[in-house]
Amino acid sequence: MKNTTFSFSRRHLLVGAAALGGGAFLGVHAKQAQAASFNLLNVSYDPTRELYAEVDKAFANTWHQTHPEDNVTVKTAHGGSGAQARSVLEGVPADVVTLGLAYDIDLLAQKGLIATDWQTRLPHNSTPYTSTIVFLVRKGNPKNIKDWPDLVRDGVQVITPNPKTSGGARWNYLAAWGWALHQNNGSEDAAKTYLKSLFKHVPVLDTGARGATNSFVQRHLGDVLLAWEDEALMAARDIGPDQFDIVVPSQTILAEPPVSLVDKNVKAHGTEAVAKAYLEFLFSPEGQKIGAKHYFRPVDPAVLADYGQVFPKVETFDVASLGGWTKLQKDHFSNGGIFDSLYR
């Protein structure tokens, strides 16, 4: 994991089951017997650094307004989604996970850290924001990249991270896979041929989506970056409005990065109620606006409408239409799977 140290002290002054059990967002009684101090750890994926830096502070302030005697501190750690999930399995004491794809949370549920019904506990299948996969190109689009076939032309270098470690990379891969299937009447052989050609144009595989963005933006590698829409918008609008353009392909994937309590850990830490409120905050109007501000598509229709000028309409397909995460993980990303055969 990157940019986060886990040496902070975890101090919980519990105030009784009534104060800590259940309750919707801001629904825990403000009057408590004594002050409490809570440290929450959110283990997240690469492109959410700026998003959760703001969310963490906003939630702590909101909680304090209704629980003035409490002190809440939230820290968020970032890295490739798959690597982050493995770190929690190996003992990183996450109270919540906000990962790049449902499969990584399912893995934690299979190992008993999270309830198996985790995706039904929050709205929209526990997905507070969506995104999609787009192309980030150099200003003026000098290689005239318009759609997926252009990525495999001679002289075009593509930057995308490693699907074995990065959730964002798996979304990139599946966006290309789905497009190729749809262009070739569902032919997996044709899709494999396209993906094999595509990865011949990838000079380096970073471990996470933010690393790939840095390779393209800061190290000036490649002609096109396959990117989360939020990463591309941040680069084109905030980092270098005179350096980059965004190309939306003719068809791409609906990316749905979900969130969950880590049940085993919050029970051990005494943070269940606060952690639950933290996740529910993401679905609140304030949380949705913070997401949109950082270029994640809000699931609240009213907030999305307010940011309509930021998020263009795109033609998308979802993971379910490709067979679902369990099948896709086994077929494509397991050791010896389709990606290994193509990349080798």
Side-chain angles (χ1 to χ4, degrees), residues 132-135 145-148 229 246-252 297 312-315:
T132 189
I133 301 302
V134 299
F135 306 160
I145 293 167
K146 297 180 180 179
D147 207 350
W148 294 102
E229 182 182 46
I246 294 174
V247 174
V248 179
S250 61
Q251 191 177 51
T252 186
R297 291 182 180 237
K313 291 184 178 180
V314 294
E315 182 181 341

Side-chain angles (χ1 to χ4, degrees), residues 2 46 159-166 169 202-216 219 221 225:
K2 307 173 185 176
D46 248 346
I159 302 300
T160 184
N162 189 340
K164 302 299 280 287
T165 58
S166 166
V202 178
V204 61
L205 287 178
D206 291 288
T207 58
R210 180 54 59 88
T213 300
N214 289 340
S215 289
F216 184 78
R219 298 170 61 198
L221 298 180
L225 172 70

Side-chain angles (χ1 to χ4, degrees), residues 11 15 126 144 153 286:
R11 184 164 55 94
V15 296
S126 292
N144 195 31
R153 294 200 324 255
E286 182 180 2

Side-chain angles (χ1 to χ4, degrees), residues 19-316:
L20 293 179
F25 171 59
L26 299 185
V28 180
H29 293 297
K31 298 297 184 181
Q32 295 183 351
Q34 66 183 82
S37 180
F38 302 99
N39 291 303
L40 296 183
L41 174 60
N42 172 11
V43 170
S44 193
Y45 64 110
D46 248 346
T48 62
R49 298 167 190 269
E50 295 77 17
L51 167 66
Y52 283 113
E54 184 167 349
V55 165
D56 293 351
K57 293 178 182 178
F59 170 73
N61 290 337
T62 300
W63 181 269
H64 185 69
Q65 289 173 12
T66 54
H67 303 73
E69 66 282 4
D70 288 356
N71 180 46
V72 175
T73 301
V74 186
K75 293 181 180 290
T76 299
H78 303 272
S81 185
Q84 293 292 76
R86 288 191 296 274
S87 76
V88 177
L89 283 176
E90 292 166 0
V92 169
D95 297 281
V96 301
V97 286
T98 57
L99 296 178
L101 58 156
Y103 178 83
D104 290 331
I105 300 182
D106 282 337
L107 181 63
L108 300 179
Q110 292 167 15
K111 300 299 183 179
L113 275 72
I114 292 175
T116 56
D117 66 346
W118 65 270
Q119 208 158 12
T120 68
R121 298 190 297 193
L122 289 165
H124 301 281
N125 291 321
S126 292
T127 302
Y129 316 106
T130 67
S131 190
T132 189
I133 301 302
V134 299
F135 306 160
L136 187 69
V137 299
R138 308 294 174 188
K139 191 68 178 179
N141 196 5
K143 294 295 180 77
N144 195 31
I145 293 167
K146 297 180 180 179
D147 207 350
W148 294 102
D150 300 319
L151 303 186
V152 296
R153 294 200 324 255
D154 290 345
V156 174
Q157 285 196 328
V158 180
I159 302 300
T160 184
N162 189 340
K164 302 299 280 287
T165 58
S166 166
R170 276 174 272 180
W171 287 114
N172 293 350
Y173 174 103
L174 292 173
W177 175 263
W179 172 83
L181 285 178
H182 296 149
Q183 293 299 305
N184 294 282
N185 297 315
S187 169
E188 290 200 357
D189 287 340
K192 289 176 184 177
T193 298
Y194 176 76
L195 266 294
K196 186 172 184 177
S197 179
L198 175 64
F199 277 96
K200 287 181 178 179
H201 289 256
V202 178
V204 61
L205 287 178
D206 291 288
T207 58
R210 180 54 59 88
T213 300
N214 289 340
S215 289
F216 184 78
V217 171
Q218 297 180 355
R219 298 170 61 198
H220 306 287
L221 298 180
D223 303 295
V224 54
L225 172 70
L226 297 186
W228 291 91
E229 182 182 46
D230 56 279
E231 286 283 277
L233 283 167
M234 181 182 67
R237 285 176 168 241
D238 300 337
I239 296 176
D242 58 344
Q243 299 177 48
F244 308 107
D245 290 328
I246 294 174
V247 174
V248 179
S250 61
Q251 191 177 51
T252 186
I253 198 164
L254 174 66
E256 298 174 286
V259 303
S260 179
L261 294 176
V262 182
D263 298 72
K264 184 176 180 180
N265 289 349
V266 294
K267 287 178 171 60
H269 302 155
T271 56
E272 186 171 6
V274 182
K276 181 182 178 184
Y278 174 80
L279 294 180
E280 290 173 337
F281 176 78
L282 303 178
F283 295 87
S284 71
E286 182 180 2
Q288 290 285 285
K289 290 175 183 178
I290 293 173
K293 175 182 175 182
H294 292 281
Y295 307 124
F296 290 85
R297 291 182 180 237
V299 294
D300 183 325
V303 179
L304 179 61
D306 288 342
Y307 287 83
Q309 76 282 5
V310 176
F311 302 113
K313 291 184 178 180
V314 294
E315 182 181 341
T316 62

